[in-house]
Structures are given as structure tokens and as C-alpha cells.
Amino acid sequence: MDNDLRRLKTLCGGLFFVLLLLTVIIAMAICVVVSGTVIEMSDPGLVSDYLGISSDRFVVIAGFGAVVMGVSLVVLVMMLNITNAIYREYSPFTIKNVKRLEVIFLAYLLLPVIVSPMIYAVIGELTALEVIILSFSSVLMAAIFYCLSLVFRYGCWLQKESDETL
């Protein structure tokens, strides 16, 4: 194994634990938000009065937060699986990693479609510029992960050719 691959495996081994910690934190935050929403829906005003907002607004904001954190959780779990696979497997170029990168691509691509209506529900109106700004970064990240999935797919093909040549 050459030095670059060894360094990549070491980095992914450490990154795995950082991502695992972030995943646990996000999962716990989702549990707190969902439980707060359930409490608010069963006893309107209990949580929202404490925060100084209306019950309906609290439920919308909590729903928005839960969805965004849910998408973040999906991305973190996929990244967790990728780093673990790179650390443990012979080559980082596997079809499983390609599929994981494609899931991340789809998550970022769908995020503006999910988030824009929720922000509209909270704020009340969005200008075209605000929608473009909200969508641009997510679509840019989606494009980056799609390109990475294509690079990994090509790496899989090269790995297969290399293994068959030997």
C-alpha cells in the first residue's frame, strides 16, 4: 500500500469518529425538537409560551428544523459509511461509495425544494433573489457530490481493470 492510500485510510479512520459524534448530536437534537413538538401539540402553549411565540409558529419552525436536521443526518450517515468503508476496505473505489455519494447528491438537490416552502411559511414571503440564494449553495453542493460520484465510478472502473490485468 503506498503512502497516500495509507494516509487516506488514517485520515478516514479519525474522521469516522468525528462524524459519528456529529451524527449522535444531530440525532439527539432531532429527538429534542420532535419531543418538543409533540408536547406542544398535546398541550398547546406549553413550549411556545415559554419561547414567546405562537403555537402554530413554533410547530412550523420545529418542523422546519427537524426536516433540515433530518437531511443533515442522512448526509452525515452517508459520509460516516464512506469514511468507514475507505478505512476498512482495500480500495476507496467501490460501487457502494458511489451510491452513497449519489444519495448525498440527491439530499442536497432536494433540500431547496423542501426548505423554501418551509421558510415561506415562517417568514410569510420570499423574493426571487432569496429563493435563488437559498437554492444556489445547495445546488452547488449537489453538483460537487455528483462530480465526486462520477470520479468514484471511474475509479471503480479503473480498479476493476487493474485487478483484471494482474
Side-chain angles (χ1 to χ4, degrees), residues 46-95:
L46 188 64
V47 178
S48 59
D49 288 347
Y50 178 75
L51 296 173
I53 59 175
S54 71
S55 183
D56 293 340
R57 190 166 178 88
F58 172 77
V59 171
V60 170
I61 292 170
F64 169 70
V67 169
V68 170
M69 286 187 288
V71 172
S72 299
L73 188 63
V74 167
V75 170
L76 280 171
V77 168
M78 290 299 114
M79 293 301 294
L80 190 69
N81 290 334
I82 290 169
T83 56
N84 191 37
I86 290 172
Y87 177 70
R88 297 193 183 282
E89 294 179 17
Y90 167 72
S91 172
F93 301 110
T94 64
I95 290 298

Side-chain angles (χ1 to χ4, degrees), residues 158-166:
L158 288 176
Q159 185 71 50
K160 180 182 170 202
E161 290 294 313
S162 174
D163 290 347
E164 288 175 357
T165 302
L166 299 174

